[in-house]
Amino acid sequence: MRAVIAEDSLLLRIGVVKVLEAAGFEVCAEVADAEGLLAAVEEHRPNIAVVDVRMPPGFTDEGVRAALVIRRQYPPTAVLLLSQYVEERYAADLLAANTSGVGYLLKQRVADIEEFTEAARRVAAGGTALDPQVVAQLLVRRHSDPLDRLTPREREVLELMAGGRSNSGIAAELVVSESAVAKHINSIFTKLDLPKADADHRRVLAVLRFLGVANA
């Protein structure tokens, strides 16, 4: 089995490589971003790509968007997503495209070497491997309010946005950096299913949804 690894954390990437190689996989490339991942898949045409959900430059959904490209352009290559947290929207997006050769595991599962390698083999062979926590959250939130996906801090940020605060104003109020605020806002857009679009102002749409004015 040939594998490509995409993970921006050097230590975790080294760990995944060693675990897979010990399990008999041939790791033909290891990269740190989505662009490198797509280039590696194009060059090596691996059996499986093990992909971090959030990677440079934005650390939002670069990994899953690259995974969707792989499933569309290189169907023989299976995809196993790794995430620090349960982010059900990403799992739903990937499963909606194709349930064959797809996996979504929390990164903590990598520590259980036997479980992780078994999941990688199953996905590479065309099966499916979903973390139990991902499955549970997909079932619980299937019909829930997208606002329920937000963390307490993200709700604080959105509430301040609704009050007309700028990023710098939010940062001052919460005593955090502006870059931290920007990351929270990007996460809010993702969790509220507000993709980038020239015709829409996502900040306004997020506030309208928070206020219960817009559901789209």
Short mmCIF file of all heavy atoms in Angstrom, two decimals, residues 15 32 52-53 58 67 70-71 78 80 88 94 107 110 113-115 125-127 133 137 146 150 176 189 202 215:
data_model
loop_
_atom_site.label_atom_id
_atom_site.label_comp_id
_atom_site.label_asym_id
_atom_site.label_seq_id
_atom_site.Cartn_x
_atom_site.Cartn_y
_atom_site.Cartn_z
N GLY A 15 5.35 10.97 13.32
CA GLY A 15 4.73 9.84 14.00
C GLY A 15 3.85 9.02 13.09
O GLY A 15 3.91 7.78 13.10
N ALA A 32 3.30 19.40 4.04
CA ALA A 32 2.78 20.21 5.14
C ALA A 32 1.59 21.07 4.76
O ALA A 32 1.04 21.78 5.61
CB ALA A 32 3.89 21.09 5.71
N ASP A 52 -4.58 16.06 7.19
CA ASP A 52 -5.04 16.92 8.27
C ASP A 52 -6.15 17.83 7.73
O ASP A 52 -6.04 18.36 6.62
CB ASP A 52 -3.87 17.77 8.78
CG ASP A 52 -4.24 18.63 9.98
OD1 ASP A 52 -5.30 18.40 10.58
OD2 ASP A 52 -3.46 19.54 10.31
N VAL A 53 -7.22 18.03 8.50
CA VAL A 53 -8.34 18.87 8.05
C VAL A 53 -7.90 20.32 7.88
O VAL A 53 -8.20 20.97 6.89
CB VAL A 53 -9.52 18.78 9.04
CG1 VAL A 53 -10.53 19.88 8.77
CG2 VAL A 53 -10.21 17.42 8.90
N GLY A 58 -4.57 29.08 5.84
CA GLY A 58 -5.66 29.63 6.64
C GLY A 58 -6.04 28.82 7.86
O GLY A 58 -6.73 29.30 8.75
N ALA A 67 -9.03 17.12 -0.06
CA ALA A 67 -9.52 15.75 -0.07
C ALA A 67 -10.66 15.58 -1.06
O ALA A 67 -10.74 14.57 -1.78
CB ALA A 67 -9.98 15.35 1.33
N ILE A 70 -9.22 15.39 -4.47
CA ILE A 70 -8.62 14.07 -4.69
C ILE A 70 -9.70 13.04 -5.02
O ILE A 70 -9.56 12.26 -5.97
CB ILE A 70 -7.84 13.61 -3.44
CG1 ILE A 70 -6.59 14.49 -3.26
CG2 ILE A 70 -7.43 12.14 -3.55
CD1 ILE A 70 -5.90 14.30 -1.93
N ARG A 71 -10.80 13.05 -4.27
CA ARG A 71 -11.86 12.08 -4.52
C ARG A 71 -12.50 12.28 -5.89
O ARG A 71 -12.96 11.33 -6.51
CB ARG A 71 -12.93 12.19 -3.42
CG ARG A 71 -12.43 11.90 -2.03
CD ARG A 71 -11.86 10.51 -1.91
NE ARG A 71 -12.91 9.50 -1.91
CZ ARG A 71 -12.77 8.27 -2.40
NH1 ARG A 71 -11.65 7.91 -2.98
NH2 ARG A 71 -13.76 7.43 -2.33
N ALA A 78 -7.82 6.59 -1.89
CA ALA A 78 -8.67 6.73 -0.72
C ALA A 78 -8.18 7.91 0.12
O ALA A 78 -7.03 8.33 0.00
CB ALA A 78 -8.65 5.45 0.09
N LEU A 80 -8.10 9.49 4.16
CA LEU A 80 -8.33 9.38 5.60
C LEU A 80 -8.04 10.73 6.23
O LEU A 80 -6.90 11.18 6.27
CB LEU A 80 -7.43 8.30 6.21
CG LEU A 80 -7.48 8.13 7.74
CD1 LEU A 80 -8.90 7.84 8.20
CD2 LEU A 80 -6.51 7.05 8.19
N GLU A 88 -18.25 18.02 12.25
CA GLU A 88 -19.14 17.15 11.49
C GLU A 88 -19.40 17.64 10.08
O GLU A 88 -19.70 16.84 9.19
CB GLU A 88 -20.45 16.93 12.25
CG GLU A 88 -21.40 18.11 12.27
CD GLU A 88 -21.07 19.12 13.34
OE1 GLU A 88 -20.05 18.94 14.03
OE2 GLU A 88 -21.83 20.10 13.46
N LEU A 94 -17.43 15.11 2.95
CA LEU A 94 -16.66 14.03 2.34
C LEU A 94 -17.53 12.82 2.07
O LEU A 94 -17.45 12.19 1.00
CB LEU A 94 -15.49 13.66 3.25
CG LEU A 94 -14.35 12.87 2.58
CD1 LEU A 94 -13.70 13.70 1.48
CD2 LEU A 94 -13.31 12.48 3.62
N LYS A 107 -7.40 12.91 15.87
CA LYS A 107 -5.95 12.70 15.93
C LYS A 107 -5.53 11.85 17.13
O LYS A 107 -4.50 11.18 17.08
CB LYS A 107 -5.22 14.04 15.95
CG LYS A 107 -5.26 14.76 14.61
CD LYS A 107 -4.45 16.04 14.63
CE LYS A 107 -4.45 16.71 13.27
NZ LYS A 107 -3.66 17.96 13.25
N VAL A 110 -4.48 8.24 16.62
CA VAL A 110 -3.16 7.85 16.12
C VAL A 110 -2.36 7.19 17.24
O VAL A 110 -1.50 6.34 16.99
CB VAL A 110 -2.42 9.07 15.55
CG1 VAL A 110 -1.03 8.68 15.06
CG2 VAL A 110 -3.22 9.69 14.41
N ILE A 113 -2.03 2.62 18.00
CA ILE A 113 -1.40 2.24 16.75
C ILE A 113 -2.17 1.15 16.02
O ILE A 113 -2.40 1.23 14.81
CB ILE A 113 0.06 1.79 17.00
CG1 ILE A 113 0.87 2.99 17.50
CG2 ILE A 113 0.67 1.21 15.73
CD1 ILE A 113 2.29 2.64 17.87
N GLU A 114 -2.60 0.15 16.75
CA GLU A 114 -3.32 -0.96 16.10
C GLU A 114 -4.63 -0.48 15.49
O GLU A 114 -4.97 -0.83 14.36
CB GLU A 114 -3.58 -2.07 17.12
CG GLU A 114 -4.24 -3.30 16.50
CD GLU A 114 -4.40 -4.42 17.51
OE1 GLU A 114 -3.79 -4.34 18.59
OE2 GLU A 114 -5.13 -5.38 17.21
N GLU A 115 -5.37 0.34 16.24
CA GLU A 115 -6.64 0.85 15.75
C GLU A 115 -6.44 1.74 14.53
O GLU A 115 -7.19 1.66 13.55
CB GLU A 115 -7.36 1.63 16.86
CG GLU A 115 -8.71 2.21 16.45
CD GLU A 115 -9.37 2.98 17.57
OE1 GLU A 115 -8.87 2.94 18.70
OE2 GLU A 115 -10.42 3.63 17.30
N ALA A 125 -8.34 -0.01 1.30
CA ALA A 125 -8.93 -1.14 0.57
C ALA A 125 -10.33 -0.82 0.04
O ALA A 125 -10.98 -1.68 -0.56
CB ALA A 125 -9.00 -2.37 1.46
N GLY A 126 -10.78 0.42 0.25
CA GLY A 126 -12.08 0.83 -0.28
C GLY A 126 -13.19 0.88 0.75
O GLY A 126 -14.34 1.13 0.41
N GLY A 127 -12.84 0.64 2.03
CA GLY A 127 -13.85 0.67 3.08
C GLY A 127 -14.01 2.06 3.69
O GLY A 127 -13.53 3.06 3.15
N GLN A 133 -16.93 9.23 17.80
CA GLN A 133 -17.38 10.55 18.20
C GLN A 133 -17.93 11.34 17.02
O GLN A 133 -18.85 12.13 17.16
CB GLN A 133 -16.25 11.32 18.87
CG GLN A 133 -15.84 10.75 20.22
CD GLN A 133 -14.83 11.62 20.93
OE1 GLN A 133 -14.95 12.84 20.95
NE2 GLN A 133 -13.81 11.00 21.50
N GLN A 137 -21.79 12.68 16.76
CA GLN A 137 -22.11 14.09 16.56
C GLN A 137 -22.90 14.30 15.28
O GLN A 137 -23.78 15.17 15.22
CB GLN A 137 -20.82 14.92 16.52
CG GLN A 137 -21.08 16.42 16.62
CD GLN A 137 -19.92 17.14 17.26
OE1 GLN A 137 -19.26 16.62 18.14
NE2 GLN A 137 -19.69 18.37 16.82
N PRO A 146 -27.16 25.43 13.45
CA PRO A 146 -25.72 25.59 13.24
C PRO A 146 -25.04 26.40 14.33
O PRO A 146 -23.85 26.21 14.59
CB PRO A 146 -25.64 26.29 11.88
CG PRO A 146 -26.90 25.90 11.18
CD PRO A 146 -27.94 25.80 12.26
N LEU A 150 -20.94 26.32 17.62
CA LEU A 150 -19.95 27.27 18.07
C LEU A 150 -19.49 26.98 19.50
O LEU A 150 -20.28 26.57 20.35
CB LEU A 150 -20.50 28.70 18.01
CG LEU A 150 -21.03 29.18 16.65
CD1 LEU A 150 -21.46 30.64 16.76
CD2 LEU A 150 -19.99 29.02 15.56
N VAL A 176 -7.39 39.38 23.80
CA VAL A 176 -6.68 38.42 22.95
C VAL A 176 -6.09 39.18 21.77
O VAL A 176 -6.35 40.37 21.59
CB VAL A 176 -7.63 37.31 22.45
CG1 VAL A 176 -8.18 36.49 23.61
CG2 VAL A 176 -8.77 37.89 21.62
N PHE A 189 -17.46 31.28 10.42
CA PHE A 189 -17.96 31.21 9.05
C PHE A 189 -18.09 29.76 8.60
O PHE A 189 -19.07 29.38 7.96
CB PHE A 189 -17.01 31.95 8.10
CG PHE A 189 -16.98 33.44 8.30
CD1 PHE A 189 -15.87 34.18 7.91
CD2 PHE A 189 -18.05 34.12 8.85
CE1 PHE A 189 -15.84 35.56 8.07
CE2 PHE A 189 -18.03 35.49 9.03
CZ PHE A 189 -16.92 36.21 8.63
N ARG A 202 -19.91 37.76 4.45
CA ARG A 202 -20.09 36.70 5.45
C ARG A 202 -20.23 37.25 6.87
O ARG A 202 -20.94 36.67 7.69
CB ARG A 202 -18.92 35.72 5.37
CG ARG A 202 -18.90 34.92 4.08
CD ARG A 202 -17.92 33.78 4.16
NE ARG A 202 -16.55 34.25 4.28
CZ ARG A 202 -15.51 33.46 4.55
NH1 ARG A 202 -15.70 32.18 4.76
NH2 ARG A 202 -14.29 33.94 4.62
N ASN A 215 -31.80 32.47 7.87
CA ASN A 215 -31.55 31.05 8.06
C ASN A 215 -30.76 30.43 6.91
O ASN A 215 -30.41 29.27 6.94
CB ASN A 215 -32.87 30.28 8.21
CG ASN A 215 -33.63 30.69 9.44
OD1 ASN A 215 -33.03 30.83 10.50
ND2 ASN A 215 -34.92 30.92 9.30
#
